Amino acid sequence: MAAPGTQSLTVLVVGSGGREHALALAISKDPAVGSVHVAPGNPGTARIAANHPLDIMDGDAVAALAIALHADLVVIGPEAPLVAGIADSVRAAGIACFGPSQAAAQLEGRKAFAKAVMADAGVPTARARVCTDAAAASAALDEFGAPYVVKADGLAAGKGVVVTANREAALDHARECEQVVIEEYLDGPELSLFVITDGESAVPLPAAQDFKRVGENDEGPNTGGMGSYAPLPWLPAGTVETVMAQVVRPTLARMRELGTPFAGLLYVGLSLTGVGPRVVEFNARFGDPETEVVLPLLDGPFAQVLLAAAIGQLAQAPRLALRPGACVGVVLASQGYPAAPHPGGTIMLAPEPAQVHVVHAGTALDAHGQLVSAGGRVLCVVAHGDDLEQARERAYAHIDEIDFATGFCRRDIAAPARLAAIAARLG
C-alpha cells in the first residue's frame, strides 16, 4: 500500500457527477499523482482522466477495477455506494479507500441513527421524534409546530426533506415514507462544513453555503443544490473551532465507542441559531455543489491528504493551505427539474476564460458526439475571484456564453443583498 509522499500515485474516483468531476480535477493537481481514473465518469471527467464503465453498486466490480488499475487510492464520491458498503469491499481487496465503512455511513443513511449518535455525544441539534405511522407523525408535528420539518429516514438524493408551513403537506410526506424523523425548525442561516478525518484526527475545510430551493428567493421545492459559494464573509469568528469542539470530535469519539469509527469525509450541515451552531444533518461524503467551490480554494497535496486519511495517518499528512479569494458555483439544470427534468437538450460550451471552469454533473454525448443534458443538474459553472462579487460576476458572465436552450439557473447565487441580509441578521 502506498504512503503519503509516494510519487506517481494512481487514483480511482468512483461516480459520475459534478462532485466526482471536481474531485478528479483537484486530485489531478497533486504533484504526487501520476494518473487519475473515474468510473463511470462523464464527458467532463474524460477531459482530465480515463473513464471506465462500472456499476458503482457492485463492490466486487469496484474492487476488481481498482486491482486492474493498480490503484493506490480509491475515492468513493456518492452516498449510495458508501451506504451499500462498497468501501468495505475495496479495503478487503487490500486497497486504500477514502470513504467510511457501511456501518459508519449510517450517519447519512439513517437519520434516526445520526440523531441517536448526536444525543449520546451531546451534540447540539434540533429536537426530533422518529415516527413510523401517521398518528405518531401527527403528534410530532403538533409538538414542534410550524414550520414543519419532515425527513425521510434514508437516502433520497437530496430531496427527502420537506420544510413547509402546510401541516397537511408535511403529513402527506410522512405518510409516503416508511419511517421519518420530524424535527423542530432551526431558524438561522445554514452552512456546510467538510471535515477530512481518519477517525481520530480531523481537518476542516472552508465553510460553504449552498442553495437548495429550485427558485430564486428560495422558492419552490428542495433540490440537490442550485449553486454555492465559499468562503462565508458573514461567518462569526471562531465558528469552525466551536463546531470542531462541540460537534465533530464528540461525534467521532462516539462512533469509535460504537465500534464503527468514521474515516472519510464528514459533512456537517449546520444552522447558526441564536444560541449557537446546531446540526441540521450529517452526510458521509463530499456535498454537491459545495465541493465544486471548496476544492478550488485548497492549495496543497490534496490526494496525499486523502490517502493519509484512508490509511489512518492524517496527523502525519502534509498541510492543506488556502488560496486567497473566493469561489462561486452556479448550477445549470434541465427544464422541469427537480420534478420531471427533460434530458437530451443540446449544449454548446464556450471557451473557458482564466479563473473559470465548467464542471459536468449530468452530461452525455449523443450518437453524433454532441454534448447533451443527461440529468437534472447538468453543469456547474465555477469562478474564482479576489472576492465573492468578482467571482459571481465571472460565473454569470460565462453562463451567458453557454448555449443551453433547455437549461435554467438561479440568478441570485451569492447575491450581495443576500449576503448583507445574513450579516445583518447575525449582528
Side-chain angles (χ1 to χ4, degrees):
M1 182 180 296
T6 300
Q7 299 300 308
S8 297
L9 293 173
T10 297
V11 182
L12 170 62
V13 178
V14 175
S16 61
R19 165 185 45 227
E20 289 72 46
H21 188 177
L23 282 166
L25 186 60
I27 288 167
S28 70
K29 294 180 179 179
D30 189 322
V33 172
S35 62
V36 182
H37 302 262
V38 186
N42 61 43
T45 61
R47 297 169 56 186
I48 58 171
N51 284 354
H52 303 267
L54 181 70
D55 177 357
I56 66 173
M57 300 301 290
D58 184 336
D60 291 340
V62 175
L65 177 60
I67 292 170
L69 295 173
H70 303 288
D72 299 294
L73 173 67
V74 174
V75 179
I76 299 179
E79 61 272 27
L82 289 169
V83 172
I86 304 304
D88 298 315
S89 299
V90 174
R91 280 189 279 266
I95 299 173
C97 184
F98 184 81
S101 66
Q102 182 177 33
Q106 291 181 91
L107 273 181
E108 176 168 6
R110 291 180 53 214
K111 299 289 191 299
F113 173 82
K115 280 294 185 182
V117 168
M118 285 187 271
D120 292 341
V123 169
T125 186
R127 293 180 298 134
R129 297 288 179 266
V130 179
C131 306
T132 57
D133 57 51
S138 180
L141 293 174
D142 291 339
E143 177 183 0
F144 296 133
Y148 305 105
V149 182
V150 184
K151 300 180 178 180
D153 189 25
L155 298 181
K159 295 179 275 291
V161 179
V162 166
V163 180
T164 178
N166 186 320
R167 187 181 184 281
E168 193 59 32
L171 191 56
D172 285 345
H173 184 58
R175 291 191 184 105
E176 293 169 358
C177 305
E178 184 175 336
Q179 180 167 288
V180 296
V181 175
I182 295 178
E183 300 182 352
E184 65 174 332
Y185 178 73
L186 295 177
D187 186 15
E190 294 190 1
L191 64 137
S192 303
L193 183 67
F194 295 168
V195 179
I196 296 173
T197 179
D198 60 6
E200 292 273 358
S201 299
V203 176
L205 303 184
Q209 186 180 61
D210 74 335
F211 293 69
K212 291 293 188 188
R213 299 284 184 172
V214 71
E216 294 174 14
N217 300 314
D218 292 330
E219 296 180 353
N222 272 342
T223 73
M226 294 298 295
S228 57
Y229 66 97
L232 309 180
W234 45 262
L235 190 66
T239 299
V240 171
E241 291 78 8
T242 296
V243 173
M244 294 297 291
Q246 296 183 359
V247 176
V248 174
R249 295 189 186 98
T251 298
L252 295 178
R254 180 55 182 158
M255 292 297 283
R256 293 194 299 271
E257 291 172 357
L258 292 172
T260 57
F262 187 100
L265 195 289
L266 181 63
Y267 169 120
V268 187
L270 297 155
S271 176
L272 288 186
T273 72
V275 291
R278 294 290 182 268
V279 176
V280 175
E281 64 176 350
F282 285 134
N283 288 337
R285 38 73 196 183
F286 283 96
D288 188 352
E290 301 99 316
T291 300
E292 286 87 324
V293 298
V294 169
L295 297 191
L297 292 175
L298 303 182
D299 184 11
F302 182 61
Q304 294 177 65
V305 172
L306 297 186
L307 176 58
I311 63 176
Q313 297 181 12
L314 185 58
Q316 292 77 48
R319 290 178 58 85
L320 286 172
L322 298 182
R323 291 177 61 195
C327 277
V328 172
V330 181
V331 169
L332 278 164
S334 293
Q335 288 179 359
Y337 178 76
H342 305 295
T346 60
I347 304 167
M348 292 292 293
L349 296 177
E352 297 175 5
Q355 306 301 326
V356 176
H357 65 275
V358 177
V359 174
H360 291 237
T363 64
L365 298 178
D366 66 14
H368 306 289
Q370 170 66 49
L371 189 68
V372 297
S373 64
R377 291 182 297 165
V378 180
L379 301 169
C380 184
V381 175
V382 181
H384 182 269
D386 294 336
D387 52 32
L388 283 171
E389 184 175 359
Q390 185 181 61
R392 184 174 186 273
E393 290 174 355
R394 287 173 172 171
Y396 280 111
H398 192 66
I399 281 176
D400 292 338
E401 296 296 317
I402 295 174
D403 184 356
F404 181 22
T406 60
F408 73 96
C409 69
R410 283 182 59 164
R411 290 279 172 175
D412 61 347
I413 305 301
R418 182 187 182 96
L419 306 187
I422 294 175
R425 183 177 180 183
L426 293 173

